[in-house]
Amino acid sequence: MSRPGPDEAWGASPAALLAPERGIVPFMGRGRELADLRSWARSREPVALRLLCGLGGVGKTRLALELCRRLRRTGWTVVHVPPGQEVAVLDGVADARRVLLVVDDAGSRPGLTAMLDAIGATRRGGRLRVLCLARTGGQWWRRERWTSELWAGRTPSVTQMALDPALDRTLSVAFDPALGLEVERPDDERVFLEAAVARFARALGRPMPQVRFEPVPDGHVRVLDLHAAALATVLDDGGDVVDPGTALGVVLDHERAGWARSAAAAGLGDGAGGAAEAVLAVATLLRDTTDAGVREALRRARAEPADGRTADAVDWVRAHLLPVPRLAELLVSRALSRSGELTAACTRDLDPEQAFAVLGFATAMGLDRPATDRDVTGELIEAAASALPSERPEDLPGLVRVVRRLPRSSGPLAVPVLDRLTHRVADLARTAGGDAERAEALSDLGTVLIAEGEPDMASALLQEAVGLWRGLAWHDENRYRPPLCTALNNLGMGYWALGRHGDALAVQEEVIALCRRFPPGDALWADAEHARALQNAGVSYTELGRAGEIEVAQRASLDIYRRLAEGDPIQYEPRVAAVLGNFEALTESGRPEDALPANAEAVAIRRRLAAARPEHLGELAWSLGQLGTTLEALGRYEEAGVVLVEALEIQRGLAKENERGTRPDLAGALSALGALYSTVGRADESLRLEREALEIRRDLAREHPERYLHYLAHSLSNLGVTLARRGRYDEAVLLEEEAVGIRRGLASGNARALKYLAQSLSNLGVRYADLGRFDEALRPTQEAVDMLRRLVREQPEKYRTGLAEALANLGATLLDLDRAPDALPPMREAVMMRRQLVLENPDKHRPDLALALSNLASALSAVGDNVTALGHAREAVEMRRRLAADLPERYRTELERSRAVLARIDAAIRNPPPAR
């Protein structure tokens, strides 16, 4: 459904005053962006494209209209391309020397590729500019690069920019910003609001009301919401300004009151919450404003006009369709969330065009979800997708169009729909598509199969897809290099899911090399896959133990994603947060202080995203878990507890909606909080959480051992440690033995797993010692030390903490075996290493140093060096006294043990044995 043109009748609708085509409020606050667009239009390239992204209501259309107005004044031919006329408009501008084509809602235009083809086929002089407006780019936009003939033998200029919700407060576009004229602006939105209130009052013939307004602290109010607040304030006759966050709802309520007065006159009866509102919602959703289309909406809404009044009712519906997309989305969401019956009526027996219309509307609504009691986006997507034709070869282009338009981030209900469509596209492409269609479909299907837990089948399909793209790129490298990079990145994911991390890294490094060969003008198409390959390579380096290369790759990926997010925040801000989360590897490498800023920023980004769109809650919980782990590594246990509790609460809430799909993440949240509680002495709470995590992970490992055995061993070991802290040594040793068995199997094919095997071996030695089985304890403890010494030679920062712990355990085991002279060297080495660690991170490592000192004092006393032992024992007691003051439950018992050691040494000094 296209917007009404500026010359059409707008009626008396208050909402019509918000339409950007009306221009009721003076254009202001976008001076920099307008100057940028004018500079782009005047550039020397014969053909240039720009994608202008931004959430609904930030002012994309109004900015484009202002650009058009100014270019017309300087002799440009400007055309707003109507839907379905993408190719036809080119005939009308064939002879023009300077042309601007504006394509609104570009992502839902199936004719866009054909329009770009036609531009490519025309060798013209002058300048042609195509400005595409969309809430986000993503796959549909990147796909234009290789499906369109525009890039055949040329590299046209393609750029991208995003509108931030915050308005520019330094430039006044009452003057031309290109001239650099600056005027002072206040520090909030008051000037914009007062201008809007004055203009709306004049348009409605009402006096200018006195208003009171508190600006939003973060300055991220969208211009549409600010205008709606001003309009609602005028409609409410002044006073406190309506909250911009709810202003569209207030305007819609005023619209509904107007419908109640006018619907009856058109033969539709009461419109407030009744038949009129329902039919407007249906007509808006189906996007067909022809007479037949509106009559269809009347039928679906069960709105029966009075006898002989059907034509009047059709005219009334057309006249009252809301001209502002976000307001229209709010209407549909409200009406359908209140009535499952109306939702069913909207989506029953859809023909293909109606199904595409519903999918397009729902996808846009899913990106910018209205605040209503029930989210209907997933239901609409499910119903419309079910109505799509998918059996004949000619159905393939339509299905591909939907798959490219429908993002996984549309919500949890959209993901299975997208997966199902991807399977169907692949089936059709095998028989009906060319090499490019087959390659694209197989690559997409491979990624779906990875998510479905079928990495073997996925990798085979992904290898086939890469082979097809390689063949195409051999004949036309410039055109097909971008999709080849995508397919290679997907193949890397397949290898990674199989545990073939070396193979995964090889294809990731190939993508990095390919992206560096893109010509400068093609950077936009290379950057997304380049950043993805760098991010995944960083993870592969982690798995392969190549610590020195991890941070370099992740920081390079982060830099690219930050740049991409400036042009399309909806698409790339989640990727920025994901890469920031990968800096958790610094915590694993012994650098939690360096990981902390990245983890905290990831939480801040995902908290903001989740506030607007609940499907980001799972990612927020994941980032909270990473932040909690880093805080724990820094010894900031109280802060870590707050963060990890929030993460677990989110995961439990998500599990109520989708128990099976969220089990791995729920187990992770349970395990992380349980381990923290065990560390700080809250053993009873820890046992409950860790047992729950273990039960989930046993189930997961039975279903997918290759993916979850590592996590099962982690839970077994954690629970064993906690049980030992409760004195339940028989149970603890059985769990650690099982963990060692699992980790030996994993370490045979993965060098990174050696760290965890060494940890479990060291723990197993302690468990045997707890039971008095000292002879059995020595072998795994010594094996852990030997293993960690090898690892420390390669990556000292990452493994020295583990080596210090293993040395301390070895010394304690030798002391238990009455081999005190043999115990002294590893004990002294452990103390030396832990002193250095305490200098770097005292909160984290002081408890371990206290234990090592106490044990060393015991060993020294055993060999008769009580004087030296006394100093170590006193130091251990003093450390543990301070620790117990902060965490009495955790450290009281250990303090008493150190005091007992000190008393025994003191007594030995005071009462030495008689000399022989």
Side-chain angles (χ1 to χ4, degrees):
M1 181 176 67
S2 61
R3 299 171 184 241
D7 297 324
E8 296 181 45
W10 291 86
S13 162
L17 300 177
L18 294 173
E21 293 84 356
R22 293 291 299 272
I24 296 295
V25 180
F27 179 81
M28 60 175 65
R30 293 293 185 196
R32 289 191 179 93
E33 293 89 343
L34 181 60
D36 187 16
L37 285 171
R38 294 183 71 187
S39 176
W40 164 74
R42 292 194 295 254
S43 62
R44 293 181 177 276
E45 292 89 352
V47 177
L49 280 69
R50 175 163 289 192
L51 176 64
L52 175 59
C53 294
L55 290 168
V58 296
K60 299 185 297 296
T61 302
R62 185 64 191 277
L63 176 60
L65 289 168
E66 185 66 18
L67 174 68
C68 294
R69 185 179 70 83
R70 296 191 179 219
L71 291 182
R72 280 195 189 98
R73 290 190 320 198
T74 59
W76 281 69
T77 300
V78 175
V79 179
H80 290 266
V81 180
Q85 300 297 309
E86 288 83 7
V87 176
V89 296
L90 295 175
D91 293 334
V93 298
D95 297 327
R97 297 290 299 171
R98 293 181 296 172
V99 178
L100 171 66
L101 304 177
V102 179
V103 186
D104 208 345
D105 195 16
S108 65
R109 298 288 192 101
L112 179 61
T113 301
M115 184 179 86
L116 298 179
D117 287 346
I119 292 172
T122 304
R123 299 289 178 175
R124 52 175 296 134
R127 283 174 282 180
L128 174 65
R129 302 290 177 262
V130 181
L131 180 61
C132 296
L133 312 183
R135 293 187 182 181
T136 184
Q139 289 188 356
W140 70 266
W141 176 239
R142 294 199 300 271
R143 194 171 187 268
E144 296 295 341
R145 172 62 180 79
W146 63 268
T147 56
S148 171
E149 298 289 341
L150 177 60
W151 281 266
R154 64 171 70 85
T155 305
S157 169
V158 182
T159 52
Q160 190 165 325
M161 66 182 290
L163 288 191
D164 187 88
L167 294 170
D168 178 4
R169 301 189 179 97
T170 60
L171 288 178
S172 170
V173 295
F175 304 96
D176 191 332
L179 300 178
L181 298 177
E182 297 190 17
V183 298
E184 292 186 3
R185 286 293 191 190
D187 292 333
D188 54 47
E189 294 86 0
R190 191 180 309 278
V191 64
F192 303 112
L193 183 94
E194 289 177 351
V197 168
R199 291 304 183 106
F200 287 133
R202 181 188 305 172
L204 292 169
R206 299 190 181 190
M208 171 73 177
Q210 296 296 317
V211 297
R212 295 181 296 275
F213 175 62
E214 291 296 328
V216 176
D218 67 3
H220 279 73
V221 179
R222 303 182 208 180
V223 64
L224 173 62
D225 294 328
L226 203 62
H227 287 178
L231 177 58
T233 301
V234 173
L235 294 171
D236 289 344
D237 297 320
D240 288 332
V241 173
V242 174
D243 176 8
T246 60
L248 282 175
V250 175
V251 172
L252 183 57
D253 289 338
H254 280 280
E255 285 291 303
R256 295 173 71 241
W259 298 339
R261 292 188 295 269
S262 62
L268 278 176
D270 182 12
E277 181 179 5
V279 73
L280 285 172
V282 177
T284 298
L285 182 62
L286 297 181
R287 297 183 171 192
D288 185 353
T289 58
T290 64
D291 285 355
V294 176
R295 285 196 295 270
E296 171 80 357
L298 288 165
R299 181 187 65 77
R300 288 179 180 270
R302 296 185 179 179
E304 296 292 336
D307 289 344
R309 304 296 304 280
T310 299
D312 294 334
V314 168
D315 289 342
W316 184 91
V317 170
R318 256 200 301 261
H320 288 81
L321 288 171
L322 296 169
V324 179
R326 276 185 59 217
L327 200 56
E329 290 161 13
L330 180 59
L331 165 66
V332 172
S333 188
R334 272 190 182 182
L336 270 57
S337 66
R338 287 196 300 260
S339 172
E341 184 179 351
L342 183 60
T343 304
C346 284
T347 55
R348 188 184 300 121
D349 301 326
L350 296 173
D351 64 35
E353 283 306 310
Q354 291 170 332
F356 282 124
V358 171
L359 276 168
F361 188 92
T363 301
M365 188 166 66
L367 291 171
D368 204 356
R369 201 154 298 154
T372 52
D373 294 337
R374 183 170 65 90
D375 177 26
V376 298
T377 304
E379 297 173 54
L380 292 174
I381 289 173
E382 170 69 43
S386 299
L388 290 173
S390 61
E391 301 301 325
R392 302 167 301 168
E394 54 266 34
D395 298 331
L396 180 60
L399 289 176
V400 170
R401 167 185 160 195
V402 170
V403 168
R404 285 289 162 267
R405 171 72 169 155
L406 184 62
R408 288 184 171 272
S409 57
S410 297
L413 289 176
V415 172
V417 173
L418 184 56
D419 291 350
R420 190 169 65 245
L421 290 175
T422 302
H423 277 276
R424 190 66 197 121
V425 166
D427 290 341
L428 284 175
R430 281 190 179 279
T431 58
D435 284 352
E437 288 79 12
R438 286 201 307 277
E440 181 184 34
L442 291 172
S443 189
D444 288 346
L445 181 58
T447 62
V448 170
L449 289 171
I450 292 170
E452 292 175 349
E454 300 288 349
D456 289 295
M457 186 183 304
S459 295
L461 294 176
L462 291 166
Q463 287 170 339
E464 184 180 351
V466 167
L468 288 167
W469 285 124
R470 286 194 194 281
L472 290 164
W474 177 261
H475 296 289
D476 191 345
E477 182 182 12
N478 184 55
R479 180 172 184 177
Y480 292 112
R481 189 189 296 124
L484 172 59
C485 290
T486 301
L488 284 166
N489 267 331
N490 291 346
L491 178 59
M493 291 170 52
Y495 286 150
W496 200 90
L498 288 170
R500 295 168 55 182
H501 303 117
D503 292 333
L505 181 60
V507 296
Q508 289 150 6
E509 290 180 332
E510 181 181 355
V511 174
I512 293 168
L514 282 171
C515 288
R516 288 171 177 162
R517 285 165 46 195
F518 273 68
D522 258 6
L524 178 70
W525 312 108
D527 281 351
E529 294 302 335
H530 192 184
R532 183 180 169 208
L534 286 163
Q535 177 188 5
N536 292 342
V539 176
S540 296
Y541 291 142
T542 302
E543 291 292 334
L544 295 169
R546 293 166 59 174
E549 297 163 278
I550 298 169
E551 187 176 358
V552 173
Q554 296 294 1
R555 290 202 183 279
S557 175
L558 181 61
D559 289 343
I560 297 173
Y561 274 133
R562 285 195 194 280
R563 186 168 69 248
L564 289 168
E566 291 176 359
D568 191 349
I570 294 177
Q571 193 71 217
Y572 293 111
E573 266 199 329
R575 303 311 311 160
V576 170
V579 177
L580 288 165
N582 288 345
F583 280 78
E584 186 185 27
L586 297 179
T587 299
E588 287 190 29
S589 299
R591 296 167 53 196
E593 66 283 353
D594 294 328
L596 184 61
N599 291 159
E601 186 183 354
V603 167
I605 291 172
R606 284 176 162 163
R607 197 181 292 285
R608 176 164 41 80
L609 293 173
R613 300 175 62 200
E615 60 267 21
H616 288 290
L617 279 171
E619 295 167 350
L620 170 60
W622 185 260
S623 289
L624 286 165
Q626 292 173 319
L627 177 60
T629 300
T630 298
L631 289 167
E632 183 180 0
L634 290 166
R636 295 164 60 174
Y637 299 122
E638 186 174 350
E639 296 168 84
V642 171
V643 168
L644 292 175
V645 165
E646 183 183 358
L648 179 56
E649 288 174 349
I650 292 173
Q651 294 293 1
R652 287 203 186 280
L654 295 172
K656 291 178 181 177
E657 302 173 8
N658 180 14
E659 182 178 359
R660 287 193 62 80
T662 58
R663 287 182 302 161
D665 294 334
L666 175 58
L670 288 162
S671 180
L673 185 58
L676 175 68
Y677 282 166
S678 180
T679 298
V680 299
R682 298 168 63 175
D684 290 336
E685 295 168 275
S686 175
L687 285 174
R688 175 177 54 80
L689 296 169
E690 288 176 347
R691 286 190 188 282
E692 187 179 353
L694 178 60
E695 182 179 349
I696 295 171
R697 284 174 167 171
R698 281 201 188 279
D699 289 341
L700 291 169
R702 277 192 291 269
E703 297 168 13
H704 300 289
E706 72 286 350
R707 296 173 65 183
Y708 295 112
L709 275 175
H710 165 73
Y711 299 103
L712 173 59
H714 190 72
S715 280
L716 289 164
S717 190
N718 280 359
L719 183 55
V721 170
T722 304
L723 286 168
R725 285 172 174 161
R726 299 292 289 168
R728 296 163 64 173
Y729 303 124
D730 290 320
E731 298 171 76
V733 75
L734 294 174
L735 293 170
E736 199 64 68
E737 286 175 337
E738 186 179 355
V740 167
I742 292 171
R743 284 174 165 167
R744 279 200 191 279
L746 294 173
S748 64
N750 183 351
R752 186 178 178 227
L754 288 172
K755 167 191 173 182
Y756 300 104
L757 174 57
Q759 180 183 341
S760 274
L761 286 165
S762 189
N763 288 346
L764 182 59
V766 175
R767 300 292 80 82
Y768 285 146
D770 290 336
L771 291 167
R773 295 158 59 179
F774 303 123
D775 290 326
E776 294 175 80
L778 183 58
R779 182 175 177 180
T781 307
Q782 184 66 62
E783 185 182 356
V785 169
D786 295 341
M787 195 175 292
L788 284 162
R789 283 198 190 281
R790 293 195 300 271
L791 293 170
V792 163
R793 281 196 292 270
E794 299 170 4
Q795 299 176 53
E797 282 193 345
K798 184 171 184 178
Y799 295 114
R800 58 190 175 140
T801 302
L803 176 58
E805 181 179 359
L807 286 164
N809 290 344
L810 177 60
T813 300
L814 290 166
L815 184 62
D816 288 332
L817 289 167
D818 293 327
R819 295 169 55 182
D822 295 330
L824 287 174
M827 284 184 169
R828 286 189 173 115
E829 188 177 357
V831 167
M832 180 183 66
M833 294 181 72
R834 284 178 167 170
R835 284 196 190 282
Q836 181 60 39
L837 290 167
V838 165
L839 290 176
E840 299 169 12
N841 188 346
D843 291 338
K844 173 67 177 175
H845 296 292
R846 189 176 285 118
D848 296 328
L849 176 58
L851 174 62
L853 287 165
S854 194
N855 288 347
L856 179 57
S858 295
L860 288 166
S861 180
V863 298
D865 190 358
N866 287 304
V867 174
T868 306
L870 184 64
H872 293 314
R874 285 175 173 167
E875 187 179 0
V877 167
E878 182 56 33
M879 280 187 187
R880 284 180 162 171
R881 183 183 289 119
R882 293 197 300 270
L883 291 167
D886 294 332
L887 293 170
E889 289 186 13
R890 174 69 179 87
Y891 294 112
R892 187 186 297 115
T893 301
E894 295 181 6
L895 173 60
E896 293 307 316
R897 288 175 185 158
S898 286
R899 282 173 170 165
V901 171
L902 177 60
R904 188 169 62 251
I905 294 170
D906 188 59
I909 293 173
R910 292 175 185 276
N911 303 291
R916 294 184 180 181

